[in-house]
Amino acid sequence: NIMSNFFNKSDLSRKEAENIVSETLLNCDDGELYLENSKTESIVLDDNKIKSSSYSSDLGYGLRAVTGEVVAYSHSNEISKDSLRQSSENLQTTLKSKKGTYNHSIAKTNKKFYDDINPIEKKTLNSKLEILKEVNNYTRSKGSIVKQVTASFAGEHKSIEIIRSGGETLTDSRPLVRFNVSVILEKNGKKETGVYGIGGRQSYDDYLKNNNWKKVCDEAYRIASANLESKPAPAGEMKVVLGPGWPAILIHEAIGHGLEGDFNRKKTSAFHNLMGQRVASESVTIVDDGTLHQRRGSLTIDDEGTPTEKTVLIENGILKNFMQDRLNAKLMKTRSTGSGRRENYKHVVLPRMRNTMMLNGKYSQEEMMKSVDKGIFAVSFGGGQVDITSGKFVFNCTEAYEIINGKVGSPIKGATLIGDGPSILKEVSLVGNNMMLDPGIGTCGKAGQGVPVGV
């Protein structure tokens, strides 16, 4: 059992911690003590050599008290009696005149969506370095047009414990890994980059066995090669066919953020007054699911201790639910969907996405292509951004092709998709039957906090 006991090396006992938490939260609506022990590593090969390798370990707590919509938060990287008492005093001064109760007790499910392994320790540093060198040699052996290869590993193991008023305790132990390859090709004076990566809540070897890493190198090389043959993208309004998997980042940005509880409670989201109404064409069903096995965005419990679930956001075009943490759920008179997340113990909880996806429709990709006389097939995106209030978004395509008379044509470069979430949802004409999850590399930013997600 790798679960770190946070009180082993401290002058603070579990009982004392429970007492301080109960005392601090006596006149509050909600809150908890969140303890976290995290180990992270990063290894980067670049320009034929190991450029950097880092390992860090962090231990700390965050004590939160919630009253109404006021959140008081205090955190420290020292788990001790003095430190926790000090935090408690800080919070009590903020909330002294408040009263209220929050009666949403936490369901205890024993479902686990990943194993309790420490991926960093499970594979030796030497074997990781060996693979990175093999990746470099294999990718460079593809010919003299390969000008640069960058490959990296990122691993994490995070143990958390949540202590609530009355001594209720919840724990989770979360592995997370990522493996990335980037390649730069040059031909006739033109340079192009291809990037690909895989990952999730497993050990490195689960992803790399049977020389699986070669597929990642091949894919990065293929993307760069396609871009070498590309011509400039046309401009104007046109039909777009989105590929499966990673392009769902468009759903995440353009629609997902707008369905998070806090933006709707504050009425700053374009969707805030549309619950129960048609917001998309009938073929569109979008869910946010935290219960997929070993996926990057999955969680056994969220960072408030609520078990995660599969939350139906839009069903056959009708808006059904927002993603909620405890605070926003309470103020909106509903329940938490297990979507309360924080980057680490230094951050407050916010309602966030987990694995966000549009469910299968009935059309093959071929049928979708055939219905387009002139348009774009968007296979992969770089970053995107959205204005929550209007739903307006911008995305740049990292791999895209023209569609001419129902057939995929030449690769195009520099295509940017611009639109707004609420409008495009209604204009979805066909939904494909080849649903796919992204390869497991997404990180979502919100209010300065990054958390792992899937699309």
Side-chain angles (χ1 to χ4, degrees):
N1 181 7
I2 309 172
M3 196 57 226
S4 43
N5 186 338
F6 293 94
F7 304 101
N8 273 355
K9 301 186 181 93
S10 166
D11 66 346
L12 177 71
S13 72
R14 177 181 295 280
K15 195 77 212 123
E16 286 168 319
E18 288 171 6
N19 290 342
I20 295 174
V21 172
S22 297
E23 232 168 83
T24 311
L25 301 179
L26 187 63
N27 294 320
C28 304
D29 295 353
D30 202 8
E32 74 285 299
L33 175 65
Y34 171 90
L35 300 141
E36 178 183 82
N37 185 358
S38 67
K39 312 260 188 281
T40 53
E41 76 170 350
S42 155
I43 310 165
V44 180
L45 175 141
D46 186 41
D47 217 5
N48 289 312
K49 54 189 170 290
I50 301 294
K51 267 276 165 73
S52 68
S53 160
S54 69
Y55 172 84
S56 65
S57 164
D58 197 8
L59 177 69
Y61 71 81
L63 181 59
R64 180 176 70 144
V66 180
T67 310
E69 53 183 285
V70 179
V71 176
Y73 199 67
S74 176
H75 64 84
S76 170
N77 61 357
E78 180 194 316
I79 297 176
S80 69
K81 260 188 231 178
D82 275 357
S83 177
L84 192 58
R85 281 251 167 254
Q86 186 65 56
S87 284
S88 172
E89 281 163 32
N90 293 346
L91 299 200
Q92 284 169 353
T93 56
T94 326
L95 296 162
K96 55 178 179 270
S97 64
K98 303 283 189 172
K99 281 273 181 287
T101 52
Y102 187 77
N103 57 12
H104 174 54
S105 71
I106 293 176
K108 298 284 201 304
T109 60
N110 288 318
K111 288 191 185 134
K112 289 243 179 284
F113 303 113
Y114 31 81
D115 296 323
D116 183 359
I117 46 169
N118 183 335
I120 300 173
E121 289 170 10
K122 210 168 173 204
K123 192 170 181 62
T124 66
L125 180 61
N126 271 351
S127 59
K128 290 169 202 164
L129 299 178
E130 278 312 305
I131 286 186
L132 290 177
K133 285 172 191 163
E134 281 188 67
V135 164
N136 186 48
N137 296 339
Y138 173 78
T139 311
R140 287 182 182 273
S141 71
K142 290 174 181 286
S144 60
I145 66 167
V146 178
K147 294 300 174 213
Q148 180 64 288
V149 176
T150 308
S152 65
F153 280 123
E156 178 182 280
H157 180 259
K158 190 181 271 196
S159 295
I160 68 159
E161 186 165 320
I162 294 165
I163 299 178
R164 307 190 56 80
S165 189
E168 181 181 23
T169 303
L170 302 112
T171 61
D172 197 14
S173 180
R174 305 168 177 168
L176 188 66
V177 298
R178 241 178 95 155
F179 167 62
N180 264 54
V181 176
S182 161
V183 56
I184 298 175
L185 305 182
E186 186 176 10
K187 195 169 152 188
N188 307 331
K190 185 178 177 185
K191 273 188 184 160
E192 286 298 341
T193 305
V195 182
Y196 195 68
I198 53 176
R201 296 196 181 279
Q202 283 170 278
S203 70
Y204 290 117
D205 286 335
D206 288 321
Y207 292 95
L208 303 174
K209 57 182 173 239
N210 308 331
N211 286 345
N212 217 356
W213 54 266
K214 287 186 177 170
K215 292 181 188 156
V216 177
C217 305
D218 295 345
E219 188 60 5
Y221 182 86
R222 184 194 67 75
I223 294 164
S225 306
N227 284 326
L228 272 180
E229 310 304 319
S230 65
K231 54 186 199 185
E237 197 163 299
M238 59 189 73
K239 286 180 186 167
V240 175
V241 177
L242 297 174
W246 187 243
I249 190 74
L250 194 142
I251 294 172
H252 171 103
E253 295 288 353
I255 295 131
H257 278 295
L259 298 179
E260 290 168 335
D262 46 359
F263 299 125
N264 289 287
R265 174 174 67 80
K266 296 169 185 167
K267 299 186 165 53
T268 51
S269 162
F271 295 97
H272 76 90
N273 55 352
L274 300 175
M275 189 56 76
Q277 296 185 33
R278 176 166 301 290
V279 295
S281 62
E282 240 168 89
S283 52
V284 172
T285 294
I286 295 174
V287 301
D288 187 78
D289 192 346
T291 67
L292 301 172
H293 276 267
Q294 297 167 332
R295 295 302 305 190
R296 191 170 162 82
S298 298
L299 292 169
T300 295
I301 52 172
D302 73 3
D303 296 330
E304 301 181 289
T306 310
T308 53
E309 59 173 60
K310 175 176 174 179
T311 308
V312 178
L313 303 172
I314 295 170
E315 189 171 28
N316 303 329
I318 308 291
L319 180 58
K320 293 285 187 181
N321 287 295
F322 295 132
M323 287 164 276
Q324 301 285 11
D325 60 341
R326 288 171 65 96
L327 178 141
N328 288 285
K330 173 178 186 256
L331 296 170
M332 292 177 79
K333 298 190 169 42
T334 176
R335 51 183 266 292
S336 165
T337 54
S339 309
R341 304 187 66 185
R342 51 181 123 204
E343 181 178 323
N344 56 42
Y345 69 86
K346 298 169 190 162
H347 297 276
V348 295
V349 172
L350 299 169
R352 304 289 299 264
M353 284 173 271
R354 295 159 306 201
N355 301 298
T356 313
M357 44 210 179
M358 187 185 285
L359 299 190
N360 259 339
K362 54 182 192 219
Y363 296 93
S364 69
Q365 197 158 288
E366 202 183 10
E367 287 174 297
M368 295 200 281
M369 295 296 179
K370 276 191 180 141
S371 72
V372 178
D373 45 358
K374 182 176 183 295
I376 285 181
F377 177 36
V379 178
S380 194
F381 291 120
Q385 57 196 65
V386 64
D387 174 330
I388 306 286
T389 311
S390 65
K392 286 189 164 64
F393 62 80
V394 179
F395 283 95
N396 56 318
C397 299
T398 49
E399 185 185 355
Y401 300 83
E402 60 184 2
I403 304 172
I404 298 166
N405 301 327
K407 289 202 169 60
V408 180
S410 162
I412 54 176
K413 177 85 177 130
T416 304
L417 304 190
I418 303 166
D420 75 273
S423 306
I424 62 152
L425 272 182
K426 295 194 175 103
E427 287 171 26
V428 171
S429 54
L430 308 174
V431 176
N433 60 9
N434 57 338
M435 178 183 160
M436 191 170 99
L437 284 151
D438 76 278
I441 54 166
T443 296
C444 168
K446 174 177 173 177
Q449 296 190 45
V451 296
V453 294
V455 291

